[in-house]
Every structure is written in C-alpha cells, then in structure tokens.
C-alpha cells in the first residue's frame, strides 16, 4: 500500500445552509480508477447510518480537468482512470446534532470524521493532512477549534493544518469549532481540556477538580502511563440531552445544562452524578474498546454490520466501572453509589426480555435489536449495558469470593490491557474467559454458561452479602420510581396494569405492554389511549387511580385503538417486586468489612 499523503480540505463555506465542502486529494491515484468510500457506521455506535446519504454533490478533478466520477454502490464512488493527483470534492449536508454525526450552522460546527471524510480506497494507511478553514465573515472571527487531532501548522485552538497517521485515526478525532468555554487540568501529568458549548452557567473550576480526580483514578487503574498524549472532553450543554461517544483521545458528550454544577452548588446532585458517570464511562473506554477491542474490530470494516458477542465486555464492564470509579475516587458517597447500582438492578428487573435473550446474544444482535428498539423490546431483549454491568458486578464479587479477596475484576482488566490493549491485539471470544479463569484460579465455565450465555437470574443478593450489602426488592410506586430509595408508600399491596405509558391530554398512551401483565391479559396493546378506568376519566393520574383498588378488582377500561373506542375488563394484579434498594449492613465482621473496603475503596 502506498504511503503517500492524503490531503483533506474542510471548508465551512455555507454555515447557514449546513453544508461542509470537503475535498480529498490523492497524489498517486489508482491508475485503473480510484475509488472513494464513505463509512456506513461510526465506531462505538452499532447501527448502519449510511453517512453517504448526506453527500449532496460530488465532483472530481485532476491536472486542471474534470474527471468522471460515478456511484458504484451505496457508499462508494469510482473515478475514471487518471495518473495525475486527483481531487474529489463533495458537499456534505450536516444537520445531525448528536454525538455521532455532523452539525453546522452560524453558531458552531461539530463533526465526526465518518460523517464527512471520504476514504481513498487503498490509501487508508497513508498519513493524512487536514486543512481546516475558518468560515468567511466577521461573525466568525472569534471562532476557535477544539479537537484531539495533532496540529501541524495551526495556532493552539486555531484553524490551520492538522495531521493523522491514517484514515482510522483521522475519523477518531471529532472536531468542534465555534465560541465555547475552555478549561484545562492535568491528570497524572497528561494535559486534559474541557470544551463546553451551548449556554451554561457551569462551575468550570469544579468540573476540572472533579474530572481530574476521576481521570487520575482511571489512569492509575490501568497502572499507567496513559495511552494518550492529551485528552479532550467535548461537551454540549442542551435543554434535554444525554449521551456520549468515546474516541482514542477525546469524547463527545451531550448533557442537560442542569446536569452541570453551578458555582454555588456544593453537593453532588443526582443530575451531576449521572454526568460524572457519563464522563467516567467514556473515559474508561479510552482503554476498554478503543484499545482493548474485539478482534472483529481490528481493523474496523465500516461498510457493513460487524457483530461481536463481546459488547457486554466493552459496554457492560465499562458501565460497571463508570459509577464504581466515582465512589472509589471519593466523588460520591457509598450510599450514593449503592443508589445508582440499585437503579441499574431495577432496570434489569423491569423487562422479561432478560429471560429470552442472553447478554452474549444481545451483544451480537445489537445492530438489529438494541439499536432498533420498539414497543416490544422490554419483552424481547436485554441491554448489554445494564445486564453487562451486573454480570461484571457478579464476576467481580465471585472472583473476590473464590480468591479470599485476593484478586478481582480489576486484575482481569489489567491483564487484558497488557495482553491486548498495549500491543493492539484484538480480543477473541475466548480470551476474556481464559483471562477470567486464570485470575479465578479455577474454571468459571458454569458462571459463563449461566450469566453470559444463559438467561438465569444473577445471584446478586447472595454475592452482595459478601461485601456487607443487603439487596431489598419492593414494588414500584409509579413508573417514574427508578429504585435506589426506600419506599414511602402508605398503601399495602399496590396494583398494576403491567404497562409503561405517556400521559397525554385526555388519557394515557401505552408505550409498552408487558408480558403477562393485567393489560396484556385483557387485550390492551401498545399505542392504545386509555381514557377511563371504572368509568372515570383518566387525566395524567392513572397510577393514582389504580392504587385506590385492591389487588384482584375487576375494572372496566375504556380506550381508543387507532381512534376507535373499545372497552375491556381488566383484573388488577399486584405490582411486581422489581424495584431494588441496596443498604449497607452495619453489623458485619472484620472480614466482610475488609471485603467491602476493598470493593468500594477506602473513602
Ligand atoms: Zn459505552
């Protein structure tokens, strides 16, 4: 493969039209006809997105002349044979305000490489040079650039020339340009930047202080040195948003502006805790998935779905450590950690899909199930994030039990880092099991059969008892009850229809109808609008109305299905005990206390 440079030019010519003009120049094009390819998906988000759909115009030139270019398949273009340096220029529409796409308007520019950069086929291993041009106009004079991409000829935080070793690196450095808040901190000597866009009133000093503790913890967790020279948190503060995407030396995060700490706020609120959990999650991915990665992703084939049975390792174990790191580095209390862990357990218990799909199957089918959820998902699938995190918990506590608290999941991750992450060697289906057996000092096949490949309940009550934590299950007080807190209900047994709904003017719209619930038995379906119970109008108060009836009562329910009124008789059931609360047991022996301190950290 040629080592010629591939040059990209990014012109933000029409921010008001949301159009990037991107050109790609190949010095030595394939003389038989150079092909160019646009990824169908972005690593970290397992859904076919066909970024080529946003290309609205494309042309090619070489030696001052136009070269014929035509579409070969949905993501690929072919140029007529030529021998001189070949430049393909395309206009890419960018109006996806998410961490996975590209967005351009008169207020800012954000892009992920897979959304905008063509790959020159056969030149993917060549070094890339990227000229980022400032949009023309006085209103763009104050715009700055934030990215983890290396600068070649650009002032710090400025427009100019950047470089990447190859196409894979090029598309792994999202770029933000515009007017944003910037703060810096160090963790283990590595410079970190927080880039915050959108209106906000966040206390940046506090963010720096807290994130530096957190990043320091993660770098030390993998026994340093950090695998990146610098790191950038690109954060967009919005009215309603939550999500993130990991990259090798940065992450893109979206949160609600209320999630960020205000200057006069001392406590870690639930919102801020979940924001810290998100940062922790994406940062842990710097090791787990960006470098310790499934063999199926080495290298990434971005033209089609690439299934792996291991997403529970990469997303589940990451989800386990994201919150655990917060308590271990002292950002939250043990009680606060147990509250979020109980909420994770609650989420698992709320869907009967966990009896039908294993976490390995959930990983494999992520492309067509987890990423394409519908009204039946709670009955059909299990999340490799949620269950994966709890399999990780069960694994951690089992390893502690088997080795008299000598070894644990941290050891497994460090071995995976040394054997797979550092040398860039993919993790095969059996490598995780082999490593775990090694750390356990015994064969854990039964654990894998049941927890990873099977659909049996995880033995969490028993395992948590080892570390002095009591698991209590109770009924949900409402569908907004996420668990983690004791109930303040004054009712005895609460009734339930077995539904998730959205209050709507004039009734309750059914979103999910759960397996074996009262609503399912009576024939109600997702999409139905319940308007009356026992002949009384429902007005955003459905749960309160139901709680006034004893379990076993038969009530008439009036509903619309596709605008046709019908009535059915529903026998109210007792709400399931699917809401988890975790409590620290006070009266524990020294050994249990030592186990708990080792698990949660000494803070
Ligand atoms: Zn993740």
């Amino acid at each position: 493969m040629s080592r010629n440079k591939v040059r990209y030019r990014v012109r933000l010519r029409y921010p008001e039209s949301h159009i990037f003009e991107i050109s790609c120049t190949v010095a030595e094009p394939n003389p038989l006809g150079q092909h160019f390819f646009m990824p169908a998906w972005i690593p970290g988000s397992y859904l076919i997105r066909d970024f080529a759909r946003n290309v609205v115009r494309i042309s090619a030139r070489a030696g001052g002349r136009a070269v014929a270019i035509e579409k070969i398949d949905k993501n690929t273009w072919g140029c007529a044979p030529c021998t001189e340096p070949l430049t393909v220029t395309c206009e890419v529409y960018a109006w996806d305000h998410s961490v996975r796409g590209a967005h351009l308007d008169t207020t800012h520019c954000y892009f992920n490489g897979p959304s905008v950069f063509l790959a020159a086929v056969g030149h993917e291993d060549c070094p890339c040079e990227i000229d980022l041009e400032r949009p023309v106009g006085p209103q763009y004079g104050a715009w700055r650039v934030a990215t983890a991409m290396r600068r070649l000829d650009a002032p710090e935080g400025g427009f100019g020339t950047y470089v990447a070793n190859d196409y894979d690196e090029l598309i792994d450095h999202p770029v933000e340009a515009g007017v944003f808040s910037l703060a810096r901190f160090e963790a283990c000597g590595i410079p970190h930047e927080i880039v915050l866009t959108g209106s906000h009133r966040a206390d940046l000093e506090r963010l720096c202080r807290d994130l530096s503790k957190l990043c320091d913890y993660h770098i030390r967790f993998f026994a340093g040195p950090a695998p990146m020279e610098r790191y950038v948190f690109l954060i967009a503060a919005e009215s309603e948003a939550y999500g993130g995407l990991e990259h090798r030396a940065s992450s893109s995060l979206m949160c609600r502006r209320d999630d960020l700490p205000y200057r006069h706020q001392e406590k870690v609120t639930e919102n801020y805790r979940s924001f810290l959990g998100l940062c922790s999650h994406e940062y842990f991915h710097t090791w787990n998935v960006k470098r310790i990665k499934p063999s199926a992703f080495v290298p990434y084939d971005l033209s089609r779905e690439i299934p792996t049975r291991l997403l529970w390792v990469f997303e589940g174990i990451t989800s386990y450590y994201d919150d655990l790191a917060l308590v271990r580095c002292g950002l939250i209390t043990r009680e606060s950690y147990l509250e979020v862990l109980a909420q994770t357990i609650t989420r698992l218990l709320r869907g009967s899909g966990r009896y039908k799909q294993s976490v390995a199957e959930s990983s494999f089918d992520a492309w067509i199930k987890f990423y394409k959820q519908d009204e039946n998902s709670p009955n059909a699938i299990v999340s490799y994030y949620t269950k994966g995190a709890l399999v990780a918990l069960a694994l951690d506590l089992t390893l502690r039990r088997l080795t008299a608290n000598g070894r644990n999941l941290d050891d497994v991750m460090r071995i995976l880092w040394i054997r797979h992450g550092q040398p860039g060697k993919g993790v095969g289906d059996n490598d995780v099991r082999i490593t775990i057996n090694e750390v356990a000092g015994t064969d854990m096949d039964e654990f894998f059969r049941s927890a990873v490949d099977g659909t049996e309940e995880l033995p969490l009550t028993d395992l948590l008892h080892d570390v002095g934590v009591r698991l209590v299950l109770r009924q949900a007080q409402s569908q907004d009850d996420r668990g983690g807190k004791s109930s303040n209900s004054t009712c005895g047994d609460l009734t339930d229809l077995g539904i998730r709904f959205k209050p709507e003017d004039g009734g309750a719209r059914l979103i999910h109808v759960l397996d074996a619930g009262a609503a399912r038995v009576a024939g109600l379906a997702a999409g139905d609008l319940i308007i009356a119970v026992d002949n009384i109008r429902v007005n955003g108060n459905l749960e309160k109305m139901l709680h006034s009836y004893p379990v076993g009562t038969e009530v008439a329910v009036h509903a619309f299905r596709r605008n046709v009124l019908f009535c059915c008789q529903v026998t109210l059931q007792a709400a399931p005990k699917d809401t988890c609360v975790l409590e620290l047991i006070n009266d524990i022996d020294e050994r249990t206390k030592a186990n708990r301190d080792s698990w949660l950290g000494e803070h």
Side-chain angles (χ1 to χ4, degrees):
M1 212 173 265
S2 111
R3 290 293 297 168
N4 287 313
K5 241 176 248 164
V6 179
R7 274 199 92 92
Y8 291 90
R9 181 178 182 194
V10 179
R11 301 176 81 184
L12 312 177
R13 280 180 73 174
Y14 316 107
E16 63 290 342
S17 311
H18 325 302
I19 297 281
F20 283 90
E21 186 187 288
I22 313 259
S23 64
C24 172
T25 302
V26 184
E28 288 177 21
N30 182 340
L32 303 173
Q34 178 65 45
H35 287 187
F36 292 87
F37 163 82
M38 198 91 169
W41 58 283
I42 176 168
S45 186
Y46 307 108
L47 180 70
I48 294 297
R49 296 179 192 274
D50 289 329
F51 296 112
R53 60 197 267 277
N54 292 319
V55 173
V56 290
R57 207 196 288 238
I58 193 162
S59 61
R61 293 185 76 77
R65 285 183 305 277
V67 172
I69 181 167
E70 65 171 10
K71 207 77 190 275
I72 289 174
D73 64 35
K74 65 174 182 167
N75 301 317
T76 313
W77 290 260
C79 289
C82 66
T83 48
E84 289 166 290
L86 170 69
T87 299
V88 169
T89 302
C90 60
E91 289 182 6
V92 180
Y93 178 67
W95 195 243
D96 174 6
H97 196 36
S98 79
V99 296
R100 300 168 296 264
H103 192 252
L104 174 63
D105 66 10
T106 51
T107 66
H108 89 134
C109 151
Y110 169 82
F111 65 85
N112 281 290
S115 302
V116 296
F117 290 129
L118 289 166
V121 174
H123 299 258
E124 293 91 338
D125 287 345
C126 300
C128 305
E129 261 183 38
I130 308 93
D131 293 323
L132 267 176
E133 296 184 10
R134 183 187 296 280
V136 178
Q139 68 272 43
Y140 304 113
W143 277 28
R144 288 186 291 171
V145 173
T147 178
M149 214 183 302
R150 274 173 301 125
R151 287 181 290 131
L152 179 70
D153 182 15
E156 195 174 354
F159 290 88
T161 307
Y162 288 75
V163 285
N165 280 331
D166 50 29
Y167 184 77
D168 184 52
E169 185 190 341
L170 170 71
I171 60 168
D172 203 16
H173 294 304
V175 175
E176 170 77 31
V179 176
F180 45 74
S181 309
L182 172 67
R184 293 192 169 90
F185 66 88
E186 283 200 354
C188 293
I190 305 287
H192 287 63
E193 286 170 25
I194 299 175
V195 172
L196 189 47
T197 61
S199 296
H200 70 87
R201 297 201 303 112
D203 180 349
L204 284 169
E205 279 173 33
R206 165 81 179 273
L207 276 177
C208 283
R209 217 165 46 236
D210 290 351
L211 289 182
S212 113
K213 253 189 205 173
L214 183 63
C215 297
D216 202 86
Y217 172 81
H218 285 305
I219 295 171
R220 289 176 201 280
F221 178 93
F222 284 100
M228 63 291 188
E229 282 166 27
R230 57 190 273 265
Y231 190 89
V232 185
F233 287 100
L234 294 172
I235 306 168
E238 302 290 326
S239 297
E240 267 316 319
Y242 183 82
L245 194 63
E246 67 278 5
H247 300 281
R248 67 185 63 190
S250 58
S251 50
S252 290
L253 311 153
M254 273 194 172
C255 66
R256 290 159 32 125
R257 52 182 68 90
D258 297 353
D259 294 343
L260 302 168
Y262 299 126
R263 256 175 237 292
H264 50 277
Q265 174 187 312
E266 281 167 21
K267 267 182 48 189
V268 174
T269 59
E270 286 180 32
N271 284 359
Y272 184 41
R273 180 178 67 192
S274 83
F275 172 76
L276 288 172
L278 180 64
C279 294
S280 182
H281 182 97
E282 305 309 344
Y283 197 74
F284 192 82
H285 272 319
T286 310
W287 291 264
N288 195 33
V289 94
K290 293 312 304 186
R291 290 173 176 85
I292 307 170
K293 53 167 95 167
S295 345
F297 293 170
V298 186
Y300 289 114
D301 175 350
L302 296 174
S303 67
R304 60 187 180 94
E305 296 91 337
I306 303 296
T308 159
R309 287 184 174 77
L310 293 177
L311 289 184
W312 72 270
V313 172
F314 297 97
E315 290 302 345
I317 294 183
T318 301
S319 298
Y320 172 56
Y321 279 109
D322 59 17
D323 293 326
L324 186 59
L326 301 184
V327 65
R328 284 190 177 170
C329 71
L331 286 172
I332 61 172
T333 62
R334 290 181 171 189
E335 288 77 6
S336 178
Y337 172 66
L338 292 182
E339 187 178 302
V340 274
L341 182 59
Q343 289 173 349
T344 306
I345 296 174
T346 303
R347 281 202 302 281
L348 176 69
L349 299 179
R350 293 268 167 95
S352 62
R354 73 185 188 280
Y355 298 127
K356 297 167 192 162
Q357 190 188 44
S358 73
V359 83
E361 290 166 337
S362 172
S363 301
F364 196 83
D365 274 341
W367 301 84
I368 59 161
K369 292 192 174 181
F370 186 78
Y371 269 90
K372 292 187 176 177
Q373 295 194 31
D374 62 19
E375 68 291 336
N376 196 43
S377 293
N379 298 322
I381 68 170
V382 73
S383 158
Y384 52 83
Y385 284 88
T386 308
K387 187 169 178 191
L390 297 172
V391 169
L393 167 69
L395 200 47
D396 193 11
L397 298 180
T398 303
L399 291 172
R400 287 166 191 274
R401 178 186 282 184
L402 288 172
T403 61
N405 206 29
R407 308 199 76 187
N408 56 57
L409 192 60
D410 303 1
D411 298 300
V412 174
M413 295 316 293
R414 285 179 197 126
I415 295 173
L416 289 175
W417 170 237
I418 290 164
R419 283 191 198 154
H420 296 274
Q422 281 178 338
K425 186 166 163 272
V427 178
D429 275 11
N430 283 324
D431 291 327
V432 177
R433 297 176 193 224
I434 290 167
T435 310
I436 289 168
N437 285 342
E438 204 176 300
V439 170
T442 179
D443 187 354
M444 297 269 289
D445 278 2
E446 180 52 30
F447 179 93
F448 279 100
R449 193 199 53 72
S450 149
V452 176
D453 299 322
T455 55
E456 287 144 50
E457 295 283 24
L458 300 169
L460 295 178
T461 307
D462 181 38
L463 288 167
L464 283 164
H465 197 265
D466 281 5
V467 284
V469 172
R470 187 182 301 114
L471 188 156
V472 181
L473 293 177
R474 60 170 176 81
Q475 294 178 311
Q477 316 232 298
S478 74
Q479 62 175 7
D480 299 325
D481 178 356
R482 296 186 297 143
K485 294 186 167 109
S486 302
S487 146
N488 50 13
S489 166
T490 50
C491 296
D493 226 0
L494 298 175
T495 53
D496 181 67
L497 284 180
I499 55 170
R500 305 279 176 260
F501 68 94
K502 202 164 97 211
E504 224 175 68
D505 255 4
R509 181 76 64 185
L510 302 192
I511 310 296
H512 301 294
V513 175
L514 305 178
D515 271 354
R520 166 68 61 89
V521 172
L524 287 155
D528 289 352
L529 179 70
I530 297 184
I531 56 162
V533 169
D534 205 9
N535 295 318
I536 297 170
R537 182 172 172 175
V538 171
N539 228 340
N541 53 356
L542 177 62
E543 289 169 316
K544 228 178 184 171
M545 289 170 80
L546 295 172
H547 289 172
S548 68
Y549 296 92
V551 170
T553 312
E554 190 174 297
V555 291
V557 169
H558 283 84
F560 283 108
R561 179 171 303 167
R562 299 193 303 275
N563 294 327
V564 178
L565 184 67
F566 68 99
C567 179
C568 57
Q569 295 298 314
V570 180
T571 306
L572 298 175
Q573 299 178 351
K577 289 195 172 175
D578 60 5
T579 306
C580 175
V581 181
L582 297 174
E583 301 163 347
L584 290 166
I585 304 170
N586 292 324
D587 184 19
I588 50 174
D589 58 31
E590 279 305 309
R591 218 184 98 215
T592 310
K593 188 180 171 307
N595 288 351
R596 190 161 76 190
D597 289 346
S598 145
W599 175 48
L600 295 179
E602 298 283 353
H603 285 279

